[in-house]
Amino acid sequence: MSDALLQVSGVHTYYGAIEALKGVDVTVPEGEIVTLIGANGAGKSTLLMTICGNPAARKGRVLFQGEDITRLPTFEIVRRGIAQSPEGRRIFPRMTVFENLQMGSITAPPGSFDSELERVFHLFPRLKERMDQRAGTLSGGEQQMLAIGRALMCRPKLLLLDEPSLGLAPLVVRQIFQVIREINREQKMTIFMVEQNAYHALKLAHRAYVMVTGKVTMSGTGAELLANEEVRAAYLEGGH
Amino acid sequence: MEYFLQQLINGLTLGAIYGLIAIGYTMVYGIIGMINFAHGEIYMIGAFISIIAFLVIGWAGITWVPLVLALVLLLSMVFTAAYGWTVERIAYRPLRSSPRLAPLISAIGMSIFLQNYVQILQGARVKPIQPVVQGGVKLMERADGFVVQISYLQIVIILLTIALMFGFNQIIQGTSLGRSQRACEQDKTMAGLLGVNVDRTISLTFVMGAALAAVAGFMVTLYYGVIDFYIGFLAGVKAFTAAVLGGIGSLPGAMLGGILIGLIEAFWSAYFTIEYKDVATFTILVLVLIFRPTGLLGRPEIEKV
């Protein structure tokens, strides 16, 4: 796997004495959309945060572009070209939409701000309308757009998305997934996405992993997992 | 009326000094949620460094007053900022993930340590300084000979404070450093995920707070002409009161609170009894804590997210 942009191998992460990840292996090849599905509390968000070094893995290695980033401080990791739209969106509520986007460009290549801003506004025209509004006053869907837009501002090599569809109306969910597909196709951006909405995520993904209580139990292409009986029974039945 | 005007001028001057100290409390509280009880001592150290700088510059033979003032101010800000940085590094950063009480106790310890440190190094006696800026502008004279005047020093203090406030507000609102500070205030984890060096941003917040406290120390040295190792305690508690009155965490609040405390003190001393001016100030602290814990410009903790 020499063309893997991100390689997570044998990673164990702890919150205090609780072992949240119990030896996780995940590979994210350049240019693909990779998704990780699993139930609440399986450790999906923990994996995304571990990639960013907060908390850092206690055992195992995280390689980004072949470089070991396991023990680097968070701000050093993200400066290498990783951006995350985290669980719960975590927009800065007392800053304007525009300031939130400015915060997203800290690790951006110099001089790219205007073009990236235009690109984000093109993807999410709503953000342009709300530019000078305090982010805390946005609706849930708009906040999600802002969280993704903010992550895109630094033109990352790897985009980590944590449940981009959580709590959103079906129409907005479809819009968000369209945007994800678009940035992958048109900007060749590599995306690693955690989702509960397994159907949409698997349809979109080139490659997928299933996580159960801190371990990866299954992997394959998106289509394979979508057809898999076990996956259907556990994550798809009853929905959609 | 004339008497009132004179007290207004005196109160504003005093308030400017309190306000500059209060900003240090409010910024640190905003970013790491702790009261830096050693901040009053940082201000005291700023005053001492100012006196030392006056002596050194005097020996060096520089006598043009505006240059002397500028140099002393600069030296005091730089060295005091270094103290602020060191205090954070030694006493607070190692306790970043401890329960909230731990850094608070550490701050009180730091405050006692710094007082004793200056007492041992500089002696316990009051340090006087020759008046550097003298004279003033006569604004009014009453029939019985009472003169309302604003001294040149008061003009310097008020103008310098306004300029600093303006520049400071520009930094917080309009630069990427200020944005990072506001981001850390709201969500340190997210700020880190976006590439902010959170530890460095916190350090810089202490540095900025200490530099402003140094300005206050410089002003007080000139204004009263005497300082000692214990001035940080009372000034610190009053500036803390100012920060709470204005709404802890709010920068304009800290300045407003400082000015109000200065005015209350000046008018209380003028019309009631000067002995009880501190009681008046702290009565305000108690009343604010009881009836309006968020202060005048503070925001309630609950927020729609």
Side-chain angles (χ1 to χ4, degrees):
Chain A
M1 274 297 180
S2 59
D3 62 340
L5 184 65
L6 178 79
Q7 178 112 41
V8 175
S9 35
V11 157
H12 294 252
T13 300
Y14 290 77
Y15 288 117
I18 299 159
E19 188 176 22
L21 298 182
K22 304 168 178 168
V24 173
D25 301 285
V26 164
T27 302
V28 180
E30 184 126 35
E32 290 192 359
I33 298 180
V34 177
T35 189
L36 177 67
I37 59 174
N40 266 336
K44 305 182 303 284
S45 299
T46 304
L47 179 59
L48 292 194
M49 289 306 282
T50 299
I51 292 168
C52 293
N54 183 14
R58 199 176 289 181
K59 269 187 276 178
R61 293 210 306 170
V62 181
L63 295 184
F64 182 66
Q65 295 184 303
E67 182 193 5
D68 190 342
I69 59 167
T70 322
R71 305 257 170 266
L72 289 178
T74 301
F75 71 94
E76 287 285 352
I77 292 174
V78 298
R79 277 174 195 190
R80 282 160 170 71
I82 300 177
Q84 181 172 172
S85 163
E87 183 180 29
R89 300 162 195 150
R90 305 189 92 140
I91 51 147
F92 299 112
R94 294 190 298 280
M95 285 188 181
T96 64
V97 168
F98 183 69
E99 283 176 323
N100 268 275
L101 293 173
Q102 281 182 308
M103 284 304 297
S105 71
I106 289 176
T107 60
S112 66
F113 182 77
D114 291 338
S115 61
E116 293 308 310
L117 188 67
E118 203 173 312
R119 217 198 290 256
V120 168
F121 282 162
H122 173 74
L123 290 170
F124 302 113
R126 278 304 270 280
L127 294 183
K128 190 171 189 177
E129 291 165 28
R130 313 255 152 164
M131 202 160 91
D132 297 319
Q133 204 169 313
R134 279 173 154 222
T137 65
L138 297 180
S139 73
E142 289 164 342
Q143 292 193 5
Q144 187 62 60
M145 293 174 195
L146 179 57
I148 297 175
R150 181 178 60 182
L152 288 173
M153 283 302 292
C154 66
R155 199 187 288 178
K157 297 180 184 115
L158 174 64
L159 177 64
L160 305 175
L161 296 175
D162 197 334
E163 306 227 19
S165 75
L166 187 71
L168 301 183
L171 207 66
V172 185
V173 171
R174 201 175 311 157
Q175 194 193 346
I176 297 263
F177 279 110
Q178 247 162 34
V179 167
I180 293 169
R181 186 188 302 254
E182 199 176 318
I183 49 186
N184 172 255
R185 281 209 187 133
E186 279 162 29
Q187 303 180 34
K188 309 276 173 264
M189 195 176 284
T190 312
I191 297 169
F192 184 35
M193 176 173 63
V194 159
E195 255 304 336
Q196 283 214 326
N197 197 331
Y199 176 74
H200 275 288
L202 291 174
K203 268 186 74 175
L204 199 65
H206 301 101
R207 184 186 302 253
Y209 293 89
V210 178
M211 189 178 245
V212 179
T213 55
K215 278 183 191 145
V216 170
T217 55
M218 230 183 283
S219 66
T221 66
E224 276 167 21
L225 289 196
L226 207 49
N228 181 293
E229 277 308 313
E230 244 177 282
V231 172
R232 293 190 76 88
Y235 303 105
L236 295 172
E237 293 302 303
H240 316 283
Chain B
M1 176 59 209
E2 288 80 0
Y3 191 52
F4 176 87
L5 197 64
Q6 184 63 62
Q7 290 308 321
L8 186 68
I9 294 168
N10 297 345
L12 281 177
T13 312
L14 199 58
I17 296 172
Y18 288 146
L20 287 173
I21 310 174
I23 284 175
Y25 279 106
T26 226
M27 279 181 79
V28 164
Y29 181 83
I31 202 160
I32 54 174
M34 73 164 271
I35 304 297
N36 177 12
F37 279 115
H39 190 60
E41 269 56 57
I42 292 291
Y43 147 82
M44 176 269 290
I45 284 176
F48 270 88
I49 293 174
S50 298
I51 279 207
I52 295 169
F54 270 120
L55 290 177
V56 171
I57 287 167
W59 283 332
I62 301 169
T63 51
W64 189 49
V65 172
L67 180 65
V68 171
L69 291 182
L71 281 176
V72 169
L73 184 59
L74 187 72
L75 284 172
S76 176
M77 285 173 87
V78 168
F79 281 98
T80 310
Y83 273 95
W85 184 86
T86 313
V87 165
E88 192 271 335
R89 203 55 206 261
I90 294 175
Y92 308 143
R93 190 181 294 184
L95 300 172
R96 186 81 29 91
S97 49
S98 324
R100 287 176 80 136
L101 202 54
L104 213 61
I105 294 167
S106 182
I108 293 169
M110 202 27 117
S111 161
I112 296 169
F113 168 78
L114 288 174
Q115 273 178 25
N116 285 279
Y117 164 81
V118 173
Q119 187 185 4
I120 289 167
L121 253 84
Q122 298 292 326
R125 294 226 307 261
V126 166
K127 302 273 176 251
I129 182 175
Q130 300 284 331
V132 183
V133 185
Q134 279 169 313
V137 184
K138 204 153 101 176
L139 297 176
M140 242 187 260
E141 189 169 351
R142 208 159 58 183
D144 63 0
F146 179 81
V147 174
V148 180
Q149 78 159 12
I150 180 164
S151 70
Y152 291 129
L153 186 58
Q154 287 176 321
I155 295 175
V156 168
I157 289 175
I158 290 169
L159 287 184
L160 186 58
T161 304
I162 291 171
L164 278 170
M165 282 304 91
F166 184 75
F168 199 71
N169 195 50
Q170 285 300 108
I171 293 179
I172 298 294
Q173 296 300 330
T175 67
S176 64
L177 169 64
R179 243 188 335 269
S180 294
Q181 284 176 313
R182 284 183 289 141
C184 286
E185 201 182 309
Q186 294 179 38
D187 188 341
K188 276 187 264 302
T189 304
M190 191 62 227
L193 283 177
L194 292 168
V196 174
N197 185 342
V198 175
D199 278 335
R200 199 184 61 124
T201 306
I202 293 173
S203 285
L204 284 173
T205 305
F206 275 85
V207 162
M208 287 162 75
L212 290 181
V215 178
F218 163 84
M219 289 171 172
V220 129
T221 306
L222 288 174
Y223 197 55
Y224 291 128
V226 287
I227 58 167
D228 62 62
F229 72 95
Y230 203 60
I231 59 167
F233 176 72
L234 200 55
V237 180
K238 281 186 189 163
F240 170 65
T241 304
V244 172
L245 174 60
I248 192 115
S250 155
L251 291 182
M255 206 59 230
L256 177 68
I259 288 169
L260 287 176
I261 295 288
L263 289 174
I264 288 162
E265 227 181 276
F267 284 119
W268 186 280
S269 309
Y271 294 109
F272 302 101
T273 51
I274 197 161
E275 290 81 6
Y276 286 107
K277 70 181 165 73
D278 297 343
V279 175
T281 307
F282 297 130
T283 305
I284 303 248
L285 176 62
V286 171
L287 291 177
V288 170
L289 288 175
I290 293 173
F291 293 109
R292 202 179 156 85
T294 55
L296 296 174
L297 303 182
R299 61 190 151 69
E301 285 293 314
I302 304 144
E303 181 107 18
K304 183 205 164 195
V305 180

